């Protein structure tokens, strides 16, 4: 099995995980989640928004980003767990 089949997507899509992990370790070591909770929450929202923006800006329409395609319309059958 090739790594390309396991880790789909561009290498730039994997870079945010390294950055997020480093920032989370730094914030944990300085107790940001306790001492500066508002900044910590804002940093979490900023990291999430930045990662989503990076994915959207670096992917072409129709390009495979996930293993399973997203449903395009409402009449597509679900997985059966929507009950």
């Amino acid at each position: 099995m090739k790594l390309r089949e396991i880790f789909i997507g561009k290498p730039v899509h994997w870079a945010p995980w390294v950055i997020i992990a480093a920032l989370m370790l730094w914030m944990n070591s300085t107790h940001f989640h306790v001492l500066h909770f508002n900044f910590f929450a804002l940093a979490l929202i900023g990291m999430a928004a930045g990662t989503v923006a990076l994915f959207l800006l670096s992917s072409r329409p129709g390009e495979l980003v996930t293993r399973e395609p997203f449903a395009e319309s409402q009449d597509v059958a679900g997985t059966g767990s929507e009950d």
Side-chain angles (χ1 to χ4, degrees):
M1 179 174 280
K2 295 180 182 179
L3 283 178
R4 184 165 291 206
E5 295 171 1
I6 297 172
F7 298 108
I8 62 173
K10 300 175 184 178
V12 73
H13 290 173
W14 291 92
W17 292 110
V18 176
I19 297 167
I20 289 171
L23 285 172
M24 293 298 284
L25 284 172
W26 174 72
M27 286 192 287
N28 184 44
S29 69
T30 57
H31 304 289
F32 261 59
H33 60 290
V34 176
L35 300 175
H36 307 288
F37 182 76
N38 290 337
F39 178 74
F40 177 74
L42 185 63
L44 287 178
I45 292 170
M47 285 187 286
T51 302
V52 170
L54 175 73
F55 286 0
L56 291 175
L57 293 173
S58 64
S59 299
R60 292 183 304 243
E63 185 177 18
L64 181 66
V65 180
T66 61
R67 294 197 189 283
E68 299 293 327
F70 292 110
E72 293 293 328
S73 64
Q74 296 295 333
D75 56 36
V76 176
T79 60
S81 62
E82 292 88 20
D83 296 330

